[in-house]
Amino acid sequence: MTTAAAEPSAPATIVAESTRSAAAASRSALQALILRDLVVLRKNFWEFVARTLIQPFLLVFVFLYVFPTIGQGVGGGRGTAAESDFATVLVPGVVAISIMFQGIQAVALQMATEFGYTREIEDRVQAPCPIWLVAIAKVVSGAVQGLLAAVIVFPIAAVVHASGVQAHLTVHWAVVLTLIPLSCIAMTSLGLLLGTTFEPRNIGLMFGFVVLPLVFLGGTYYQWTKLAPVSIDGVHWLQILVLVNPLIYVAEGMRAGLTHASHMHLYIIYPVLIGFCAVFLGAGLRNFRRRVLV
């Protein structure tokens, strides 16, 4: 009696099903990249504080304490009232410059390092998300650092001054709570653009040809409204020239949010800063993708 040969069974079919969407994976990767930067910031927090405070502290210490004490303060010939007026103008400018420097340090300098000898950027772009989202994570984490810098610097800038010199500050919370985050994003977007434009070996040129002109023509030490006397044949050329400087809008916005001093109109500051964000971020993302794929 013979038995029928068993028919061979059909091969098992393996079906791979995605457990989450591409959008969910990208969102998780973005959160992880930002969290990674914030964890590093927490571990190096006191280094961050020292780096953030040194330049603003020196500015207010020299201009608002040393100069008035030795009788060479700005406006010193007209007494402490004029020196206090200058302090009122300088403190918001110091907050603005801190936001700008933090944006450049947290993004541009980090980009120079990661595209340079560490090549850390190669690890970041392997995250399960689009390349542009890796750059966005840098901008967001840098903006958080800029926000912390503003919070740290403002109390120091407001209290360091000589006897008789007093910054007249009045916080307008609606302006402060909206303008500082917008300014932080604008400055970190600028940092992304600079960090992806300059080669690591040329990062010194960035400070000499970009950062220093931005600082001295960015309204840190003066109000934009006071530049009108600088003119040729009735043309207020300097007042017009500095309008291409994003720092002037941050500084004037800080004056609107922290003082009653004269300042540029807010209906100009907000749209222009949003425009700078769009331009800097768009160009920075394009450069970032080009640098990564080269």
Side-chain angles (χ1 to χ4, degrees):
M1 183 176 180
T2 60
T3 58
E7 295 182 1
S9 59
T13 302
I14 300 176
V15 179
E17 295 183 358
S18 176
T19 57
R20 58 179 178 175
S21 65
S26 297
R27 188 164 54 248
S28 298
L30 175 64
Q31 293 172 352
L33 288 169
I34 295 173
L35 182 61
R36 185 261 183 199
D37 287 337
L38 296 182
V39 168
V40 173
L41 174 63
R42 186 186 64 183
K43 291 182 178 180
N44 301 302
F45 182 73
W46 293 113
E47 177 186 336
F48 165 78
V49 171
R51 184 180 71 238
T52 300
L53 282 181
I54 185 65
Q55 186 183 46
F57 174 78
L58 288 175
L59 278 175
V60 295
F61 178 71
V62 171
F63 280 105
L64 302 184
Y65 181 80
V66 175
F67 280 7
T69 300
I70 64 177
Q72 297 182 12
V74 176
R78 292 173 289 157
T80 56
E83 293 171 354
S84 295
D85 289 342
F86 176 68
T88 304
V89 170
L90 181 64
V91 170
V94 168
V95 176
I97 202 175
S98 300
I99 292 174
M100 188 197 76
F101 269 108
Q102 196 57 51
I104 292 175
Q105 289 176 337
V107 182
L109 294 186
Q110 285 295 321
M111 286 288 182
T113 301
E114 293 176 6
F115 278 114
Y117 64 92
T118 67
R119 303 304 300 174
E120 183 181 332
I121 199 66
E122 296 176 357
D123 296 329
R124 286 180 176 270
V125 296
Q126 293 180 25
C129 64
I131 291 176
W132 62 268
L133 212 56
V134 177
I136 291 293
K138 274 292 185 184
V139 170
V140 172
S141 61
V144 172
Q145 295 180 49
L147 182 61
L148 289 175
V151 172
I152 293 171
V153 165
F154 176 66
I156 301 298
V159 301
V160 177
H161 49 74
S163 177
V165 177
Q166 181 66 49
H168 305 297
L169 303 175
T170 303
V171 178
H172 305 282
W173 288 107
V175 177
V176 169
L177 294 179
T178 54
L179 193 68
I180 288 183
L182 177 60
S183 300
C184 292
I185 295 173
M187 293 297 101
T188 49
S189 298
L190 174 61
L192 175 67
L193 176 59
L194 294 177
T196 54
T197 299
F198 286 87
E199 295 290 336
R201 65 179 180 275
N202 295 328
I203 205 69
L205 295 177
M206 179 188 75
F207 282 93
F209 288 94
V210 178
V211 177
L212 283 181
L214 289 180
V215 170
F216 285 105
L217 297 175
T220 304
Y221 314 100
Y222 50 83
Q223 298 144 280
W224 178 81
T225 54
K226 301 295 186 181
L227 293 177
V230 184
S231 63
I232 298 177
D233 295 330
V235 177
H236 309 296
W237 63 271
L238 186 57
Q239 201 171 36
I240 297 171
L241 176 65
V242 299
L243 291 177
V244 301
N245 186 345
L247 182 59
I248 197 78
Y249 301 95
V250 179
E252 289 293 292
M254 291 299 103
R255 290 191 183 98
L258 300 175
T259 73
H260 287 298
S262 63
H263 54 78
M264 188 184 293
H265 293 296
L266 287 173
Y267 61 74
I268 296 175
I269 293 173
Y270 279 99
V272 173
L273 278 179
I274 292 172
F276 273 125
C277 282
V279 172
F280 292 154
L281 191 58
L285 291 176
R286 183 195 61 209
N287 287 355
F288 182 81
R289 180 178 179 82
R290 176 178 55 82
R291 290 284 298 273
V292 167
L293 297 180
V294 167

